[in-house]
Amino acid sequence: MQAGGEGDVLVVVDVQRDFCSGGALAVPDGDVVVAPVNRLIEHFRHVVVTQDWHPPDHSSFAVQHPGRQPYEVVEMPYGEQRLWPTHCVQGTPGAEFHPDLRWGRAELIVRKGFRRTIDSYSAFMENDRTTVTGLAGYLRERALKRVFLVGLALDYCVGFSAVDARWLDFEAWLVEDATRAVAVGDSLTQMRLRLEAIGVKHLTTEELLS
Ligand code: VGL
Ligand code: ZN
């Protein structure tokens, strides 16, 4: 496939220590994405990376909700929200990119989830579905129209970024082998159905590079 040139952007979602093995919210096989992601970073002319970046008392952390456990769902003013173990706290080692990730060529780092009262899965929009990160405006101003998504986790931040990319009228592609899921309950099945329904296309790193 002809991809990676002008008009295309690789969006590398949350490849951070806390989502990899030994991390606070480790995604099964999360580290496996680093190798294909690095190949893709080298290939793409334009690369954007995202960084989950929470204050220490973020409202998505289960410890902020007495009597609640990680992975339970609670009602927030903006709707349902899953609670997580404390992860990706601003300035801590867990919030750093995976040490092997070659993110140096990235043209933009989008930080998200920095507002205490709102969680943010998507690289475009926070979970209240109103507050924006600014990424859509950035991509439009730079005439980047095809968004290729990779990173962690497929059923949360990568998936919701793809959903919003489509909703905001970008072409969205998922590079399957360069992403992995947290898989809480049926989160992965749900996300796959949703991505299928809205026309998010998928391919492998090999297909993209050949
Ligand atoms: C993520 C849960 C909480 C992700 C971030 O990057 O998919 N998931 N914060
Ligand atoms: Zn988070």
Side-chain angles (χ1 to χ4, degrees), residues 75-86:
E75 197 63 34
M76 296 281 207
Y78 54 79
E80 287 192 347
Q81 168 70 47
R82 196 175 291 282
L83 298 178
W84 303 104
T86 300

Side-chain angles (χ1 to χ4, degrees), residues 14 19 25 52 54 84 87 112 119 121 152-153 156-158:
D14 299 0
F19 296 123
L25 178 35
D52 211 34
H54 299 306
W84 303 104
H87 65 279
K112 59 186 183 61
D119 202 7
Y121 295 146
L152 304 170
Y156 285 93
C157 293
V158 177

Side-chain angles (χ1 to χ4, degrees), residues 166 170-173 193-202:
R166 289 293 302 124
F170 295 96
E171 201 177 302
W173 290 81
L193 289 171
R194 198 160 168 182
L195 296 175
E196 181 95 17
I198 60 175
V200 173
K201 290 169 273 202
H202 46 95

Side-chain angles (χ1 to χ4, degrees), residues 28 35 39 49 54 119 122 130 141 155 163:
R39 289 181 71 197
V49 300
H54 299 306
D119 202 7
S122 160
T130 315
E141 280 199 44
D155 42 352
V163 168

Side-chain angles (χ1 to χ4, degrees), residues 14 16 49-54 90-91 95 97 103 108-115 120 122-123 126 132-134:
D14 299 0
Q16 292 165 264
V49 300
T50 74
Q51 194 171 26
D52 211 34
W53 195 248
H54 299 306
Q90 297 171 0
F97 295 120
W103 56 277
L108 176 74
I109 299 174
V110 180
R111 284 176 168 169
K112 59 186 183 61
F114 51 74
R115 289 181 182 81
S120 186
S122 160
E126 304 199 359
V132 296
T133 63

Side-chain angles (χ1 to χ4, degrees), residues 55-70 74 76 83-86 89 116:
D57 57 351
H58 193 251
S59 59
S60 76
F61 298 164
V63 288
Q64 296 295 314
H65 303 259
R68 299 292 186 160
Q69 297 299 315
V74 295
M76 296 281 207
L83 298 178
W84 303 104
T86 300
V89 174
R116 192 185 63 79

